[in-house]
Amino acid sequence: MENDIQQILLTEAQIQNRIRELGEVLTAEYADKNPVIVGVLKGVVVFYADMIRQIKVSCQMDFMWLSSYAGANSTGNMLVRQDVTANIRGRHVLILEDIYDTGNSLDFTVKHLKEKEPASLKICTLLDKPERRKPGITLQADYVGFTIPNAFVVGYGLDYNEKYRNLPYIGVLKPEVYEK
Ligand code: 5GP
Ligand code: MG
């Protein structure tokens, strides 16, 4: 698995330090708001587990599972495989995402959740790849862990064909791995 990594982009320590910083901001933002923290599966799972432990307020966990991605290219076709189970109407909702890439997935998620009329809706993404944004998507993430260059990354929840999610760091995959 490690042999398929060309370069470590973000180490375990860098990720954990940034999560603690974001945690302080989010703890202040959501004090007394009892937010519903919605994770977008499956890539967010590792980030989610670390992030919520740094948001030191009373909160509720929930998840959405979308389906759209085949290999390294986004199709833009979204499917809700599993919707949130909480009634978020009138609640403060914080979306946690692994990566904001073309924006198809977040754009869809935001529209889908807004229809349920939350009191507020904010986005926290661990990674932002602005160079890849689809024209027409103007949505801004409210909280960004790291802005990264246009490379396909894996680890810390992110996969390539369901592999590498359990790497503790974020790395760039050797192009020959997905060009094979
Ligand atoms: P979108 O293109 O809709 O912004 O991103 C949708 C999803 O594509 C992300 O949630 C993530 O699962 C996947 N994705 C986008 N960029 C990368 C990347 O560099 N590496 C991996 N492993 N997945 C990515
Ligand atoms: Mg994802």
Side-chain angles (χ1 to χ4, degrees):
M1 203 164 56
E2 313 255 336
N3 288 337
D4 295 343
I5 304 301
Q6 175 176 288
Q7 180 208 345
I8 296 180
L9 200 63
L10 298 165
T11 64
E12 235 180 310
Q14 284 176 304
I15 297 168
Q16 297 307 327
N17 285 338
R18 185 68 184 126
I19 287 174
R20 272 193 294 274
E21 286 175 3
L22 286 172
E24 285 179 19
V25 176
L26 292 169
T27 298
E29 170 68 31
Y30 287 102
D32 306 316
K33 288 188 178 159
N34 190 27
V36 183
I37 304 182
V38 176
V40 184
L41 297 173
K42 293 188 280 192
V44 82
V45 164
V46 181
F47 172 52
Y48 192 101
D50 286 341
M51 191 70 249
I52 53 157
R53 283 178 287 176
Q54 299 299 327
I55 306 175
K56 295 174 182 173
V57 303
S58 161
C59 65
Q60 188 173 342
M61 290 171 61
D62 216 314
F63 298 94
M64 267 184 78
W65 189 7
L66 303 179
S67 197
S68 78
Y69 231 63
N73 291 300
S74 179
T75 61
N77 295 321
M78 294 293 151
L79 181 76
V80 179
R81 285 209 199 185
Q82 166 74 59
D83 204 349
V84 286
T85 55
N87 177 4
I88 63 166
R89 190 176 175 160
R91 300 285 303 274
H92 294 281
V93 173
L94 175 67
I95 300 172
L96 292 191
E97 253 285 24
D98 50 3
I99 185 164
Y100 187 16
D101 187 41
T102 66
N104 284 325
S105 152
L106 258 184
D107 192 58
F108 177 88
T109 304
V110 164
K111 285 182 181 139
H112 178 82
L113 293 178
K114 273 193 176 157
E115 281 174 17
K116 299 177 191 284
E117 302 181 339
S120 71
L121 186 63
K122 289 196 170 190
I123 301 162
C124 173
T125 184
L126 177 64
L127 305 175
D128 186 8
K129 251 200 265 182
E131 285 171 52
R132 288 259 304 163
R133 206 82 79 244
K134 213 173 77 176
I137 295 192
T138 53
L139 193 72
Q140 294 287 325
D142 300 280
Y143 308 96
V144 175
F146 302 92
T147 299
I148 62 165
N150 183 9
F152 191 77
V153 293
V154 294
Y156 199 70
L158 289 153
D159 74 309
Y160 174 63
N161 286 345
E162 296 303 325
K163 223 173 129 178
Y164 311 107
R165 292 193 196 273
N166 55 336
L167 287 174
Y169 52 80
I170 291 172
V172 180
L173 202 56
K174 289 180 182 164
E176 61 257 38
V177 177
Y178 51 84
E179 280 162 6
K180 276 200 276 239

